[in-house]
Amino acid sequence: MLKVGITGGIGSGKSTVCRLFEKFGVPVYYADDRAKWLMNHQEGLKEQLKENFGAASYKEDGLLDRAYLAGIVFKDSAKLELLNSIVHPAVFEDGKQWQIEQEALGATYTLKEAALLFETGSYLNLDRIIVVTVPEEIRIKRVMERDNTTEEEVRARMNKQMPQEEKEKRADYIITNIAWETLNIQISEVHEQLVYQAKRPQK
Ligand code: ATP
């Protein structure tokens, strides 16, 4: 089974593209959503977060107090690094387990969607990488509409990410997400190639 990663800058359309791959029956691991779920439900991870950031990290209902944690890590890069060093390995292990399950279920290839695939080193354990790319101005407009936010806020989030061109340089496949029509064609082409490659001996 081929393990494929998919990434792209904020608002590039990673989730949208993954939902289209799902229509071909491809199993997708949404790492960012799963990270949120694990922080709320995985006891070992919850304990580690409480130990490092205080019991107040969790509300009375047992769910993560995101505002409290964001308040701690927002202005303190060492704390943000600490948080990542706790959460990323937990998501990585969970993703590995998920891949084993998908292989047992007979998947030809899987997709792992993550905003920070390169930054976390997660790409090292993947066989192929897809980067979704869109001109910056379009991304800004789409995110402003989706999140009902300002251009400044979107640009601030963008500036924290690896530049799009850097991601493109590391890609095995680039999907350009400007118009729906061309998006669907690109996805079927990449899908066909991945199925073909998954069935050949690995390099
Ligand atoms: P994030 O990095 O914030 O998680 P993302 O890369 O997963 O975002 P999406 O949420 O899939 O991006 O897409 C961003 C917005 O752009 C969404 O509102 C989505 O509906 C819209 N969008 C995605 N693709 C297109 C397209 N081809 N044409 C028009 N709108 C699109």
Side-chain angles (χ1 to χ4, degrees):
M1 186 187 78
L2 210 57
K3 289 177 259 168
V4 182
I6 179 160
T7 190
I10 172 174
S12 55
K14 298 177 290 296
S15 313
T16 305
V17 168
C18 284
R19 282 193 293 272
L20 293 170
F21 272 103
E22 280 182 306
K23 289 195 177 169
F24 288 105
V26 181
V28 181
Y29 183 86
Y30 293 91
D32 303 331
D33 293 345
R34 188 67 183 163
K36 286 181 192 150
W37 189 90
L38 290 169
M39 284 194 272
N40 278 324
H41 300 287
Q42 194 186 72
E43 288 310 321
L45 179 58
K46 287 172 79 167
E47 280 314 310
Q48 269 185 288
L49 292 174
K50 282 183 204 165
E51 272 168 30
N52 286 277
F53 296 97
S57 310
Y58 283 85
K59 297 181 284 190
E60 269 180 26
D61 60 7
L63 297 179
L64 186 71
D65 189 335
R66 305 193 71 82
Y68 168 85
L69 203 57
I72 296 178
V73 302
F74 186 68
K75 291 194 179 96
D76 187 338
S77 59
K79 292 276 188 203
L80 178 62
E81 215 168 288
L82 174 65
L83 176 64
N84 287 338
S85 74
I86 296 169
V87 176
H88 289 159
V91 180
F92 179 72
E93 278 310 313
D94 182 73
K96 224 162 76 177
Q97 198 51 45
W98 177 85
Q99 279 162 342
I100 292 169
E101 286 162 16
Q102 295 307 320
E103 184 152 32
L105 289 169
T108 312
Y109 74 92
T110 55
L111 276 182
K112 179 178 187 181
E113 188 241 292
L116 303 179
L117 208 59
F118 295 117
E119 295 87 336
T120 59
S122 170
Y123 73 100
L124 293 168
N125 298 286
L126 295 163
D127 304 307
R128 301 287 187 281
I129 304 288
I130 301 170
V131 170
V132 183
T133 178
V134 185
E136 196 173 284
E137 296 313 313
I138 301 181
R139 287 162 60 204
I140 291 173
K141 194 166 158 282
R142 284 181 185 167
V143 177
M144 281 170 66
E145 272 170 28
R146 186 195 62 187
D147 298 351
N148 193 20
T149 184
T150 62
E151 180 173 342
E152 292 66 43
E153 212 272 325
V154 183
R155 283 195 188 277
R157 280 152 75 187
M158 268 181 178
N159 289 339
K160 287 189 188 150
Q161 299 188 333
M162 178 187 278
Q164 191 160 271
E165 310 75 65
E166 269 306 307
K167 291 187 176 127
E168 286 174 21
K169 277 187 209 154
R170 300 170 181 218
D172 295 295
Y173 300 98
I174 295 176
I175 292 181
T176 308
N177 178 19
I178 297 177
W180 293 116
E181 301 72 35
T182 49
L183 181 63
N184 279 306
I185 296 167
Q186 293 174 81
I187 290 173
S188 2
E189 280 173 4
V190 172
H191 173 68
E192 260 178 45
Q193 290 188 41
L194 287 171
V195 169
Y196 174 72
Q197 290 188 23
K199 291 182 175 163
R200 295 172 65 203
Q202 295 303 294
K203 65 178 176 185

